[in-house]
Amino acid sequence: MTDPTEIPYRFDPTAMAAELIEAHSEIEDGTETGVQATVAGRLMLRRVQGKLAFGTLQDSTGRIQLFAPSKVTPEFEAFTSLSLGDWIGVTGEVMKTKRGELSVKVESWQLLAKAERPFPDKFHGLSDTDTRYRQRYVDLWVTPESRDAFAARSRIVSLTRRWLEDQQFMEVETPIFHPIPGGALAKPFTTHHNALDTEFYLRIAPELYLKRLVAGGFERVFEIGRVFRNEGLSTRHNPEFTMLELYQAYADYSDIMELVENLVSYLAMEILGTTDVPYGDKTINVAVPWRRATMVDLIEEQIGVAVTVDTPREELVELCNTHDVRIKDSYGPGKLILELYEKTAEANTWHPTFVTEYPTEVSPLSRVHRSKPGLTERFECVVAGRELCNAFTELIDPVDQRSRFEDQAKLAADGDDEAMVVDEDYLRALEYGLPPTGGLGIGIDRLVMLLTNTQTIRDVVLFPTLKPEQF
């Protein structure tokens, strides 16, 4: 083990690898700049050729070569005995070798942290995906794709905030502990507050609190934050994930559609420089405008049978059985149509599509369609066969909302652990008056997956949920 007393308490780099490369990459081979620089990072490669050693130093911006002649580099043998993964600080002249490699000549150096465990080299990396997710602190060094994806994620979130603020949205924070689970159909995580001797729920969505703020007079609000749903793990699901939710007074779901397509196409241009987004072995065009299609139209395109919420239930059950859709006796026509759509049509919807006209039965917070009974003004955007966002013209009638809550409460009483319950305080807020409002929820993780050509959510979540490791 390294003697801790030999490790400095701080270090002062004067330059980053990318800065040096940008400033000096054009100098001629075999020349020196006379510029002194101090760099710091991990030693990722090292080779020794007699009295000359070379290393590769990596910091958060990139890699630069270290050039260490024995006549110049102090404690040369100790330098050549460093392990891959050791953190070091180096000071020396910026130069370019005769072979054209921009380098920092090692005129002084200092060990900053010892890698006490063997560090993977760049040629082998971490081949086991479970190890990559558990040891992200190693994965980020040896898997460039991981580092690039998370850098892109940071930029996507930052750009989204800026874009929404330019649209006069105000960022807010709402509680993560909820006394009543609500805002989405999902099973919550529960916890106990000792001082209050009360059960709380980790939020499954910030929706109801954000709409309280619209009722309070903040006409355009958004929040980007963690939400928690007690569900299974898959390539598209992590029990905790990041959601963007926003609400805009005086808007309806058609306004929100325009907002979504404009935001995503803007992000694609900023991140990729094009609206043609590579994904898997295909390309997705996210240029405005996106397709609008009703749920029942998409079902008919796939199975060749037209259905509506007025189709007799027994016919819908038969169609579900024909297409291997799992159903329950409690499902009404609207729920059966939703299940049929998700089984037959959703995965086959590749290019961005706003799927509209969700049945009232499965949309407890959506306003009823202004001209089509039994349906709501709700849409989900589907891209590459998966849901990207959910949005609607918000339900603002407290009487209708109470009725929908009570219907959900009956389902909960019958054993549906994803159903909502009656939220009396939210109903009180509606009774004070909520103006016409459009609302939206976008899964940030899935948005990042789309824009980084990533196939599994674990590759865009820094520390995904995993089965506890046994040491």
Side-chain angles (χ1 to χ4, degrees):
M1 299 287 286
T2 303
D3 183 352
T5 62
E6 297 178 357
I7 302 298
Y9 280 77
R10 63 188 305 276
F11 191 78
D12 290 313
T14 63
M16 305 294 284
E19 295 172 353
L20 294 178
I21 292 169
E22 182 178 3
H24 303 289
S25 60
E26 299 302 320
I27 66 173
E28 294 183 6
D29 295 352
T31 61
E32 298 181 341
T33 65
V35 175
Q36 290 282 308
T38 299
V39 292
R42 281 196 192 270
L43 183 67
M44 300 303 293
L45 292 171
R46 186 200 62 238
R47 69 183 190 277
V48 181
Q49 298 175 349
K51 297 296 183 178
L52 184 62
F54 298 89
T56 297
L57 184 85
Q58 180 171 327
D59 62 21
S60 62
T61 67
R63 295 185 171 194
I64 191 163
Q65 179 169 275
L66 303 178
F67 178 76
S70 61
K71 292 182 179 180
V72 174
T73 302
E75 300 182 72
F76 179 76
E77 290 186 3
F79 181 83
T80 60
S81 298
L82 289 169
S83 301
L84 295 184
D86 285 351
W87 290 81
I88 59 173
V90 171
T91 298
E93 184 178 9
V94 180
M95 53 164 288
K96 186 174 279 190
T97 65
K98 294 180 180 179
R99 294 189 176 184
E101 188 72 30
L102 189 71
S103 307
V104 175
K105 187 184 297 183
V106 184
E107 298 171 3
S108 68
W109 66 276
Q110 191 163 19
L111 180 67
L112 303 179
K114 186 68 179 172
E116 302 288 357
R117 289 175 178 263
F119 211 85
D121 62 42
K122 76 168 188 174
F123 300 106
H124 298 93
L126 287 174
S127 58
D128 180 70
T129 55
D130 187 71
T131 303
R132 286 184 55 219
Y133 302 143
R134 292 188 188 279
Q135 299 180 27
R136 190 70 82 183
Y137 38 84
V138 179
D139 174 53
L140 290 171
W141 289 102
V142 300
T143 313
E145 296 81 6
S146 287
R147 183 181 287 268
D148 292 345
F150 289 112
R153 179 186 177 113
S154 176
R155 190 158 178 245
I156 288 166
V157 172
S158 177
L159 289 168
T160 298
R161 279 194 167 96
R162 217 173 307 158
W163 189 88
L164 289 171
E165 288 168 351
D166 288 344
Q167 308 299 316
Q168 284 72 57
F169 281 87
M170 180 176 73
E171 185 172 12
V172 297
E173 294 179 307
T174 62
I176 289 178
F177 286 166
H178 287 190
I180 297 174
L185 300 176
K187 183 178 179 180
F189 289 94
T190 61
T191 189
H192 186 80
H193 189 284
N194 292 336
L196 295 176
D197 192 22
T198 301
E199 294 297 312
F200 281 92
Y201 304 88
L202 297 184
R203 69 178 177 193
I204 56 177
E207 174 169 342
L208 300 185
Y209 283 93
L210 291 172
K211 286 191 285 191
R212 285 174 170 90
L213 295 179
V214 178
F218 290 143
E219 295 176 358
R220 296 189 179 199
V221 295
F222 78 94
E223 182 171 10
I224 299 175
R226 283 292 218 223
V227 296
F228 308 85
R229 299 182 183 180
N230 201 344
E231 58 190 15
L233 305 171
S234 75
T235 57
R236 293 184 284 177
H237 297 91
N238 195 63
E240 58 173 314
F241 58 98
T242 303
M243 180 76 77
L244 160 66
E245 287 216 12
L246 64 83
Y247 293 87
Q248 179 178 340
Y250 318 123
D252 67 7
Y253 76 147
S254 61
D255 297 305
I256 303 301
M257 288 184 204
E258 293 182 11
L259 184 150
V260 171
E261 61 190 5
N262 286 330
L263 171 60
V264 176
S265 62
Y266 160 77
L267 291 173
M269 287 299 300
E270 290 293 316
I271 298 298
L272 302 172
T274 177
T275 54
D276 289 324
V277 178
Y279 198 75
D281 58 357
K282 298 181 181 179
T283 299
I284 300 171
N285 188 294
V286 298
V288 176
W290 295 358
R291 182 190 182 195
R292 277 81 165 151
T294 69
M295 179 180 289
V296 293
D297 284 345
L298 291 172
I299 292 173
E300 185 175 2
E301 287 178 10
Q302 293 299 317
I303 70 173
V305 178
V307 296
T308 72
V309 289
D310 296 321
T311 300
R313 186 179 183 282
E314 57 271 19
E315 293 182 20
L316 293 172
V317 169
E318 185 176 349
L319 282 172
C320 287
N321 291 334
T322 299
H323 294 280
D324 298 321
V325 180
R326 292 184 177 182
I327 61 175
K328 297 180 180 179
D329 292 340
S330 60
Y331 290 177
K335 178 65 169 173
L336 292 171
I337 287 174
L338 174 63
E339 294 294 323
L340 188 62
Y341 154 76
E342 290 183 345
K343 179 71 174 183
T344 64
E346 185 176 63
N348 295 313
T349 303
W350 189 260
H351 289 286
T353 301
F354 293 120
V355 183
T356 65
E357 299 183 8
Y358 276 64
T360 305
E361 179 185 347
V362 294
S363 309
L365 298 170
S366 308
R367 194 165 182 176
V368 295
H369 198 285
R370 65 195 75 184
S371 62
K372 297 182 179 181
L375 301 176
T376 61
E377 295 197 352
R378 172 187 173 189
F379 72 82
E380 287 188 0
C381 175
V382 177
V383 186
R386 60 180 60 135
E387 173 198 344
L388 178 65
C389 70
N390 185 27
F392 24 89
T393 304
E394 300 297 328
L395 177 56
I396 63 174
D397 179 357
V399 175
D400 190 0
Q401 183 65 83
R402 179 177 293 278
S403 176
R404 308 263 199 106
F405 275 157
E406 289 173 349
D407 288 342
Q408 285 289 305
K410 291 176 183 176
L411 293 175
D414 290 336
D416 186 343
D417 56 12
E418 294 188 349
M420 295 184 190
V421 295
V422 178
D423 188 331
E424 292 290 351
D425 179 69
Y426 178 68
L427 291 170
R428 179 169 57 189
L430 292 185
E431 288 166 355
Y432 276 102
L434 178 68
T437 299
L440 165 70
I442 294 181
I444 291 293
D445 310 287
R446 292 187 183 179
L447 179 60
V448 175
M449 289 172 66
L450 173 66
L451 295 176
T452 60
N453 193 7
T454 302
Q455 309 304 312
T456 174
I457 194 170
R458 291 183 177 184
D459 284 334
V460 297
V461 175
L462 278 167
F463 300 101
T465 303
L466 302 169
K467 185 178 180 180
E469 188 174 7
Q470 299 298 316
F471 287 93

